[in-house]
Amino acid sequence: MHMLAAQRRDLLLERLKTEGRIVAKDLAAELGISEDSIRRDLRELAEAGLCQRVYGGALPVSPATADYATRMAVSIAGKERIAKRAAALIRLGSTVILDGGTTALALAKALPVDLEATIVTHSPTVASALVTHPKVEVFLIGGRLFKHSAVTCGATAAEAAMGVNADLFFLGVTGVHPETGLTTGDSDEAAMKRTLAKRAADTYVLASSEKIGAASPFTVLPLSDVAGVITDAAPDEPTVKELGKLGVSVLGVSPS
């Protein structure tokens, strides 16, 4: 099959959308062209921010890598449903680490007004949202501000986190995929998330549907390290079904 480069790239994007991954070797054989041609196309798509290259091919890129203001307008209803489900896991008197990001902010706003708990966060935005909560004690971890996600990272933040012992950590990521696990777009932020996960008995992932089946460059944790993934993605979504086969606990939320 003879295809122009532009046609091939359109096909690659369509396959990413419908199948959730591209295996360069298989697609090259199907199209009767070299793997190098497919890899070259994937490099160009990756440079344009349209896919995430992985060993042997590519995965869908996460739209959650957009700037903070843009992400505030993505999946608003879904994030609120996830927040409500996550809030139900918090027990009276518990200590909870709350990550940064827009879904974590929704969770902060969803905490019941009568909840007595301690919230530890490295997000000034999340901390600010809890200023008016009457019964929640708030501890804000300081450090260098990573503006993309409005969270603190780096050595100072990591050192402060080492003094925390929590019951739960609600983790935000930009990608949840059976092959790449839990990923995000910045290496320092990924390291901070790992540090926080080590300070909690259980880690739950807050993952709105656009993050399911997507991947970003830096690994946060393997899926086996978390107690569950809270998502508004449909139970029959291919990635959700694959997560179930891997033994990952997926906590779905009602559509309304």
Side-chain angles (χ1 to χ4, degrees), residues 71-145:
R71 299 198 316 277
M72 285 294 292
V74 175
S75 301
I76 295 173
K79 289 172 182 176
E80 289 175 349
R81 293 197 297 273
I82 291 167
K84 185 177 179 181
R85 181 71 177 86
L89 297 174
I90 301 175
R91 298 289 169 246
L92 188 71
S94 60
T95 298
V96 178
I97 302 172
L98 194 45
D99 204 350
T102 54
T103 312
L105 180 59
L107 173 51
K109 293 176 178 178
L111 296 180
V113 71
D114 61 344
L115 176 68
E116 293 183 33
T118 298
I119 301 292
V120 181
T121 184
H122 63 141
S123 167
T125 313
V126 167
S128 295
L130 293 169
V131 166
T132 56
H133 196 291
K135 297 183 179 181
V136 165
E137 190 82 33
V138 182
F139 286 86
L140 178 59
I141 294 173
R144 180 183 66 83
L145 186 67

Side-chain angles (χ1 to χ4, degrees), residues 138-202:
V138 182
F139 286 86
L140 178 59
I141 294 173
R144 180 183 66 83
L145 186 67
F146 177 53
K147 294 182 180 179
H148 178 269
S149 300
V151 293
T152 58
C153 295
T156 303
E159 187 176 352
M162 295 306 290
V164 178
N165 290 292
D167 301 290
L168 297 173
F169 172 37
F170 289 106
L171 165 67
V173 295
T174 57
V176 179
H177 195 281
E179 292 177 18
T180 53
L182 304 166
T183 53
T184 195
D186 180 82
S187 59
D188 285 346
E189 188 181 17
M192 186 64 188
K193 290 175 187 291
R194 276 194 298 277
T195 298
L196 292 171
K198 290 176 183 175
R199 308 313 306 168
D202 288 312

Side-chain angles (χ1 to χ4, degrees), residues 11-22 60 237-238:
L11 175 64
L12 291 173
L13 290 172
E14 182 61 27
R15 288 294 176 87
L16 276 173
K17 183 178 179 181
T18 58
E19 298 181 10
R21 72 193 70 192
I22 287 171
E237 200 277 337

